[in-house]
Amino acid sequence: MTIKEVQEALGARFVSGEQWADREVHMACGSDMMSDVLAFVKDRAVLLTGLCNPQVIRTAEMMDVVAIVFVRSKKPDEQMIELAEEREIPLICTGHRMFSACGILYEKGLRGGADYERLH
Amino acid sequence: MSDSIKMTYTVSDTDFTRAGEASSDVKKRLRQMGCDPEVIRKVAIAMYEGEINMVIHANGGEIEVEITPEDITMVLKDKGPGIPDIEKAMQAGYSTAPENVRALGFGAGMGLPNMKKYSDEMNIETTVGVGTTVTMKVHQ
Ligand SMILES: Nc1ncnc2c1ncn2[C@@H]1O[C@H](COP(=O)(O)OP(=O)(O)OP(=O)(O)O)[C@@H](O)[C@H]1O
Ligand SMILES: [Mg+2]
């Protein structure tokens, strides 16, 4: 799946970074707690979150996340957009809530990676 | 050793939006040096968690990073309140973060466990009322 397909599936819009929309997404994770996100390294993941502050971009940077989806129409500010552009991380905004947004992407075949097996 | 690089960063607790700048800089440098992406990610996540902890729990501090061909060593020093019970603090899910910190997306109690997981060696020296020094090493 590409970043563009994620955006289209969610009926979402690009806030920035649309020029990188063709990049591949291999998995997804959704959380509002950044250390939860950092607990499992994911390969080419898209991050879904309802949190909207610069640490979301930094967390994504440390993990090499390929794109960030803000749920519930959360709008990143100028500083966040600038941080994300420097790191080539597209920002996407959707009106869906977390549960629905994750469900839609799951239905499209995106998975959360091997986390479940590792936890149990 | 001639091919060792040392960096020092001051971590301020006055501006939360800037927390993570030091980790970001180290990540950038390691990438420029052509380090293994897996090594870079381990260093970046471990150091970022430590840097955030300094900001939210310890009024900031100082980070020293040394890069050699063998490993990357990070020393995070603060003059914060110290950690009364390290064993407890190391448990996944244990956090003393107040509500305002949770609202910022931290306080899951996963930071120290993550640091332990992503570093190859980790040591914590802490004295209540004096401060904490966390040393982490990632092998190249
Ligand atoms: N540098 C520090 N100085 C003082 N106390 C600390 C420091 N680092 C961690 N702690 C204590 O250890 C606890 C656990 O830390 P940890 O990083 O695992 O979780 P957290 O920071 O509370 O939440 P998270 O990292 O998931 O956002 C903290 O809540 C805090 O009480
Ligand atoms: Mg922490």
Side-chain angles (χ1 to χ4, degrees), chain B residues 35-51:
Chain B
C35 277
D36 173 19
E38 221 25 70
V39 170
I40 298 178
R41 189 142 63 171
K42 284 167 72 176
V43 169
I45 296 177
M47 181 169 162
Y48 177 64
E49 289 281 18
E51 190 177 351

Side-chain angles (χ1 to χ4, degrees), chain B residues 11-32:
Chain B
V11 178
S12 156
D13 75 326
T14 52
D15 186 359
F16 174 76
T17 65
R18 294 186 56 186
E21 277 185 357
S23 308
S24 180
D25 188 68
V26 168
K27 180 165 191 189
K28 209 179 293 167
R29 279 167 193 265
L30 291 174
R31 202 185 279 145
Q32 282 164 358

Side-chain angles (χ1 to χ4, degrees), chain A residues 35, chain B residues 49 53 57-58 78 82-83 89 94-96 106-113:
Chain A
S35 294
Chain B
E49 289 281 18
N53 277 356
H57 303 299
D78 69 60
I83 305 172
Y94 177 82
S95 174
T96 61
F106 294 91
M110 291 304 295
L112 286 172

Side-chain angles (χ1 to χ4, degrees), chain A residues 65-82:
Chain A
V65 153
V66 291
I68 304 171
V69 174
F70 294 95
V71 299
R72 282 181 281 125
S73 304
K74 291 281 166 69
K75 280 195 187 58
D77 62 17
E78 274 310 311
Q79 188 195 4
M80 292 171 67
I81 292 171
E82 204 179 296

Side-chain angles (χ1 to χ4, degrees), chain A residues 32-45 51-65 77 79 83 86-87 118, chain B residues 15-21 23-25 27-28 31 37-38 40-41 44-45 48-49 52 102-111 114 117-118:
Chain A
D32 291 350
M33 295 304 258
M34 293 300 105
S35 294
D36 268 347
V37 173
L38 291 164
F40 295 98
V41 163
K42 291 127 190 134
D43 180 41
R44 304 200 67 79
L51 190 71
C52 196
N53 69 44
Q55 297 313 330
V56 176
I57 317 289
R58 295 231 187 261
T59 299
E61 171 190 3
M62 302 310 158
M63 282 189 53
D64 302 319
V65 153
D77 62 17
Q79 188 195 4
L83 272 177
E86 266 173 48
R87 289 153 184 83
R118 267 191 270 171
Chain B
D15 186 359
F16 174 76
T17 65
R18 294 186 56 186
E21 277 185 357
S23 308
S24 180
D25 188 68
K27 180 165 191 189
K28 209 179 293 167
R31 202 185 279 145
E38 221 25 70
I40 298 178
R41 189 142 63 171
I45 296 177
Y48 177 64
E49 289 281 18
I52 292 284
R102 284 171 203 266
L104 293 168
F106 294 91
M110 291 304 295
N114 283 349
K117 177 167 148 186
Y118 291 109

Side-chain angles (χ1 to χ4, degrees), chain A residues 1-7 14 18-28 42-47 64-68 88-90 92 108-110:
Chain A
M1 203 168 183
T2 64
I3 296 171
K4 176 134 198 69
E5 286 169 326
V6 168
Q7 171 248 334
F14 278 100
E18 197 169 352
Q19 64 265 45
W20 302 301
D22 292 334
R23 292 186 179 170
E24 277 293 323
V25 174
H26 290 173
M27 53 190 73
K42 291 127 190 134
D43 180 41
R44 304 200 67 79
V46 57
L47 168 63
D64 302 319
V65 153
V66 291
I68 304 171
E88 301 191 6
I89 304 172
I92 298 166
K108 294 276 177 194
L110 266 191

